[in-house]
Each structure stands twice: as C-alpha cells, then as structure tokens.
Amino acid sequence: TASPGYKSYGILSIIAQYALDVKRLMNISPSVFRPMPRVDSTLIHFHKRQPDPCVEDYRFFKRIVKGAFSQR
C-alpha cells in the first residue's frame, strides 16, 4: 500500500499495484494471535484492476523494477 516517496515503497509495492488495487483495511493487534508475534499486522484487500493492465514483456518490466530498486 506504500506510495512513491516513502521508504517502504519498493519492488513489492510496484508489482502489486501494477495489476491490483490495494487497500489497507485495518491494523490487527498481536494479542489476537497465538502464539503472540512481536509485530503488528495489517489486513489488506486486493482487487484485480479492470481492464487488465498490459505490458508487452512482463519479465522485462519486473527486471527494470528490480534493477531500479536494487541500489537505493
């Protein structure tokens, strides 16, 4: 769910947001899990974009994104 300009914006953000609408629904406390993790969790909703986005060469697209974020 990260946006451009934020430290958390990276490869996963771009690849996911390319084909999906990503929406943060709610934060989930560690206390609802057993065993209790040492991290907070977030419930995220993914919805496939309509019409399907189209990149002629998806493998090339992924390589470009990975290359762009490999050395920040």
Side-chain angles (χ1 to χ4, degrees), residues 9-10 16 20 24 27 42 47 52 58 67 70:
Y9 187 70
L20 305 165
R24 183 179 305 173
N27 292 326
T42 302
H47 187 263
D52 290 339
Y58 185 73
S70 65

Side-chain angles (χ1 to χ4, degrees), residues 36-69:
M36 187 173 5
R38 292 184 215 150
V39 296
D40 292 323
S41 299
T42 302
L43 181 62
I44 298 175
H45 179 261
F46 296 98
H47 187 263
K48 189 174 180 183
R49 291 180 186 265
Q50 297 296 329
D52 290 339
C54 180
V55 168
E56 285 187 33
D57 188 344
Y58 185 73
R59 291 176 69 198
F60 180 69
F61 170 71
K62 282 180 27 178
R63 278 193 6 232
I64 293 295
V65 171
K66 287 180 182 182
F69 284 87

Side-chain angles (χ1 to χ4, degrees), residues 2-23:
S3 299
Y6 289 88
K7 187 176 182 180
S8 57
Y9 187 70
I11 296 168
L12 182 58
S13 299
I14 294 171
I15 298 296
Q17 293 173 29
Y18 164 72
L20 305 165
D21 288 318
V22 182
K23 182 179 178 184

